[in-house]
Amino acid sequence: MTQDAPHPSSSPVQFVADALQSLEIETVHSQASMVETRQWLNNPGLDDPSLVDLTHLPFVTMDNPDSRDLDQALLIERHDDKYYRVRYALADAAYYVPPGSALFEAALARGTTYYTPLLAVPMLPAELSEGLISLNPQVDRRALVFDMIVDDQATVTRTCIERARIHSQAKLSYAGVQTWLDSESAPEQPYDESLLLLRELGNLLIQASARRGVVRFDRTETQISVKGEPPQFSASRRERHDTERYNEQLSLMCNMQGAEIMLALSGVSDAVQAVFRVHEAPLRKRLAELRDKLTQFAERQSDPAAWHWQADESLADYVEKLPDAAPYRRQVKSVQRQIMQAQRASSFTPEAGEHHALKAASYARFSSPMREVVGIFTHKELLEALGGHSYDKDSDTDLRDAVIESANRSRQVQRKLEKSIEFAALSSVFSDELAMQNPPHHVGTIMGLRGDRLYVSLDDMAMDVKLYREDIEEQFGTDYDMGDIAATPTDPQGPVWLLGDAVQLCVRSYDKERKRFRFKLERHA
């Protein structure tokens, strides 16, 4: 059966190329776009007299080590002893990519930058997205700066927005900043005080989000890379650093402030064509199903009271009260997964609405202007409104509709691309293991049951695999009833598989007809 296993390709490069082609993701920028790019490189607009000169300030960027398209730079200072002054600089892509240009048409067609383990397919030419527009260190750059005063309760008391020229002093990584903060070293660089305040304010913002009722999930990420000779896909688990959460909070704060300003400006003039990201609350039916599922789950635990979602309890409070000791972490993660699956998807819309997950009255996307066409458009609309520019309402309305369509479509395409690559990575790993005399065991957690299948999240790869009822029945020689939280055997001697159980599995064959791997399932101590 080994020979039937679906190795994605002898070349991950070819697989990625085929995946991009199948999703109609254009990897080459048009000649017209490149002509405009060269024009900008020759005339970068950094001597614009309307720009506020902030090049003397110690801005820094913070991202993953391999990131080259740097959208955001930050500076945090103490304000009036106990408050904070946050300056969050965003790449000024709207200046270089005006509507009507070939660059804007290209951005509209792509919608976003697409990421793969081998390459990024940039929404804008790399000469711009990794060069002139990117907030690279030790060079002057144009930026849209959100200048915010935040009090000791993490409430924004004042926001000013200005187009500026900045000079990032360093390109920092989340891991590097985390290591420095954990070492408690004395400040040496001009930006070190800003990083200390990032931790202080980041924790306050996280606390404030909890007070709003934001559910705090324990998130991990899958990191897919290409390794070995010949090259093959590899998947591993990547834990997020606290510094990522802190910077994420600044980004969210900036986007919420931008949405509030756009909403206020829209109330003054209907010529402002705002775009919002709306996340509707879960349907009542889904919440009722979730409550029933969690009740069943609680009754299966040794201490049901600790796991019950009380009628007067918010989901955020419920998640926070769950046992946090090591023996219960798998169960907690499985509960969180059920909550996440009950949520509805967010989308871009022309009308403001609640972002349920963030418990924000309105939310917009300003913080990724080089990677999202909606970011370019929101920057443009905000700057026009603040600058008192004239509007072509009908033209901008049509353009906004096109931007919204592009933004929503590209998010779906990105998800399809990610799923395709995840499957390729799993196929590569399990195909190799099928060739082994003693395939290794992978430890994981039962994260859900649905219909005829059971979902296990693997610890080492942070990805789900599906185990089908007929395969489990064949392995244990008994029929199984697949409920909401348990797979129960007809034969009482057979093992029961519960949501949150620690299990281990190894690949045993590949079903070519159904195009799926089959696994041996065991209890993990």
Side-chain angles (χ1 to χ4, degrees), residues 158-446:
R158 188 213 74 186
T159 299
C160 297
I161 298 173
E162 56 191 7
R163 238 173 181 166
R165 183 171 53 255
I166 72 164
H167 189 96
S168 172
Q169 294 197 3
K171 176 189 175 185
L172 306 178
S173 69
Y174 295 123
V177 175
Q178 189 67 59
T179 298
W180 182 79
L181 289 174
D182 292 343
S183 71
E184 299 185 354
S185 300
E188 295 180 358
Q189 300 293 337
Y191 46 79
D192 284 350
E193 287 291 346
S194 179
L195 299 179
L196 292 171
L197 291 175
L198 170 67
R199 177 172 58 186
E200 188 176 310
L201 177 57
N203 282 316
L204 288 177
L205 288 166
I206 290 171
Q207 294 167 18
S209 70
R211 292 194 298 271
R212 294 199 308 271
V214 174
V215 180
R216 184 166 58 176
F217 295 112
D218 181 13
R219 297 183 185 275
T220 55
E221 295 181 359
T222 302
Q223 182 168 306
I224 298 177
S225 56
V226 175
K227 298 179 179 179
E229 189 58 46
Q232 293 187 17
F233 285 109
S234 174
S236 59
R237 184 184 198 88
R238 191 183 82 83
E239 299 291 342
R240 299 181 76 210
H241 298 285
D242 286 341
T243 47
E244 294 178 68
R245 297 182 178 91
Y246 303 151
N247 188 54
E248 179 182 64
Q249 289 297 319
L250 295 187
S251 178
L252 295 175
M253 180 173 68
C254 173
N255 288 332
M256 286 187 277
Q257 286 298 300
E260 287 187 19
I261 293 171
M262 291 293 280
L263 191 57
L265 293 171
S266 298
V268 174
S269 170
D270 62 0
V272 180
Q273 303 300 306
V275 177
F276 300 95
R277 187 146 162 190
V278 173
H279 182 215
E280 296 181 344
L283 297 170
R284 290 184 180 180
K285 178 182 177 182
R286 297 296 299 274
L287 283 178
E289 292 170 348
L290 174 65
R291 187 175 292 279
D292 180 62
K293 188 181 295 187
L294 294 181
T295 298
Q296 293 180 53
F297 178 80
E299 292 302 320
R300 292 268 194 165
Q301 307 308 307
S302 59
D303 181 13
W307 297 90
H308 266 295
W309 179 21
Q310 303 299 331
D312 60 348
E313 196 171 38
S314 71
L315 274 172
D317 288 340
Y318 168 67
V319 170
E320 288 301 315
K321 82 165 188 184
L322 293 175
D324 59 359
Y328 304 108
R329 284 176 186 161
R330 294 186 186 276
Q331 289 95 326
V332 169
K333 287 185 177 181
S334 69
V335 166
Q336 291 183 2
R337 176 72 69 87
Q338 308 314 302
I339 296 172
M340 284 188 276
Q341 290 178 339
Q343 305 298 314
R344 300 166 78 175
S346 62
S347 62
F348 292 102
T349 72
E351 303 295 335
E354 179 193 17
H355 195 293
H356 174 75
L358 298 175
K359 294 296 184 288
S362 59
Y363 185 78
R365 288 288 293 176
F366 287 87
S367 55
S368 298
M370 287 191 306
R371 290 176 280 156
E372 296 176 349
V373 69
V374 72
I376 293 175
F377 185 79
T378 52
H379 280 215
K380 164 189 127 43
E381 290 294 309
L382 179 62
L383 288 164
E384 286 181 347
L386 293 175
H389 296 176
S390 60
Y391 302 90
D392 183 341
K393 179 183 175 183
D394 293 336
S395 175
D396 272 8
T397 299
D398 292 341
L399 184 58
R400 176 175 65 176
D401 292 343
V403 166
I404 289 173
E405 189 280 329
S406 175
N408 287 326
R409 172 183 49 78
S410 62
R411 291 181 68 218
Q412 295 174 357
V413 172
Q414 179 72 58
R415 283 195 290 268
K416 290 179 181 178
L417 179 62
E418 290 170 356
K419 289 294 183 184
S420 174
I421 291 174
E422 285 178 5
F423 181 74
L426 286 172
S427 296
S428 181
V429 170
F430 292 134
S431 294
D432 286 345
E433 292 179 0
L434 268 178
M436 300 177 184
Q437 185 173 359
N438 296 301
H441 286 80
H442 298 271
V443 178
T445 305
I446 297 178

Side-chain angles (χ1 to χ4, degrees), residues 457-517:
S457 177
L458 303 179
D459 290 359
D460 54 353
M461 291 187 276
M463 285 194 287
D464 287 1
V465 295
K466 290 178 283 191
L467 284 77
Y468 289 83
R469 177 171 57 192
E470 62 187 82
D471 296 337
I472 299 173
E473 290 174 341
E474 178 186 314
Q475 179 183 344
F476 295 102
T478 179
D479 291 341
Y480 268 86
D481 174 39
M482 305 288 276
D484 288 336
I485 59 108
T488 307
T490 302
D491 181 352
Q493 299 302 312
V496 177
W497 305 100
L498 290 174
L499 186 70
D501 274 356
V503 297
Q504 62 184 31
L505 53 85
C506 66
V507 64
R508 61 189 179 103
S509 64
Y510 179 71
D511 187 332
K512 186 175 181 180
E513 181 179 347
R514 292 182 173 88
K515 297 181 179 179
R516 70 191 193 202
F517 288 94

Side-chain angles (χ1 to χ4, degrees), residues 36 97-105 399:
E36 291 180 359
V97 190
S101 66
L103 287 167
F104 189 89
E105 290 305 312
L399 184 58

Side-chain angles (χ1 to χ4, degrees), residues 22-67:
S22 69
L23 292 169
E24 299 181 349
I25 298 174
E26 184 60 59
T27 59
V28 178
H29 286 273
S30 69
Q31 183 178 353
S33 292
M34 297 312 298
V35 168
E36 291 180 359
T37 296
R38 286 190 289 271
Q39 290 172 345
W40 285 121
L41 294 174
N42 291 329
N43 301 281
L46 294 171
D47 56 354
D48 185 345
S50 69
L51 296 178
V52 178
D53 188 0
L54 302 180
T55 55
H56 60 288
L57 295 176
F59 281 96
V60 294
T61 62
M62 187 166 53
D63 217 310
N64 294 315
D66 56 350
S67 295

